[in-house]
Amino acid sequence: MKVVFSSIFKQDLLEAETRYASISPRLGEDFHERVKATIRTIIRWRGGDHIGPHGFPCRRCRPFPHLVYYALEGGTLHILGLVHERRHPDYLRQRLEAEG
């Protein structure tokens, strides 16, 4: 399966990882590893998750309060964003529309 990471996802990951690393370098590393494991799970199961509050399929990065949003198109997995679960439901959609 081909995996494509959006620029929004990359920015979200960097910001969240930096925030956790400022608390503890180990926490930042743990967060990054949890996000990678979540994406591997999405690939292994070929999606199959629920539709999140932002209107796209997602998977939670437990124990962190972040959701990985994605879209499957044919044999391609598009990783759309990494969103804190307390964000407004329109947050991701507005960012994706702004990016074009």
Side-chain angles (χ1 to χ4, degrees):
M1 174 179 288
K2 180 180 177 183
V3 180
V4 178
F5 296 93
S6 74
S7 59
I8 291 173
F9 171 80
K10 291 175 185 177
Q11 180 183 357
D12 292 343
L13 178 60
L14 180 61
E15 289 173 4
E17 190 175 341
T18 301
R19 186 170 45 253
Y20 284 118
S22 71
I23 297 167
S24 161
R26 180 69 184 153
L27 188 59
E29 292 170 13
D30 288 348
F31 177 74
H32 187 86
E33 289 302 315
R34 179 57 61 172
V35 171
K36 284 178 23 180
T38 300
I39 293 170
R40 283 192 299 268
T41 299
I42 294 168
I43 293 168
R44 183 173 52 247
W45 290 4
R46 296 193 172 274
D49 295 317
H50 73 284
I51 302 298
H54 297 270
F56 301 96
C58 67
R59 176 163 284 278
R60 187 158 182 238
C61 297
R62 295 189 190 275
F64 297 95
H66 287 79
L67 301 163
V68 173
Y69 281 90
Y70 63 91
L72 285 167
E73 293 179 5
T76 304
L77 172 65
H78 297 272
I79 305 296
L80 304 174
L82 179 68
V83 181
H84 192 283
E85 64 186 21
R86 290 194 177 181
R87 285 273 191 185
H88 189 277
D90 292 336
Y91 173 76
L92 182 59
R93 187 173 309 282
Q94 290 170 350
R95 289 185 69 201
L96 290 170
E97 289 172 0
E99 187 171 274

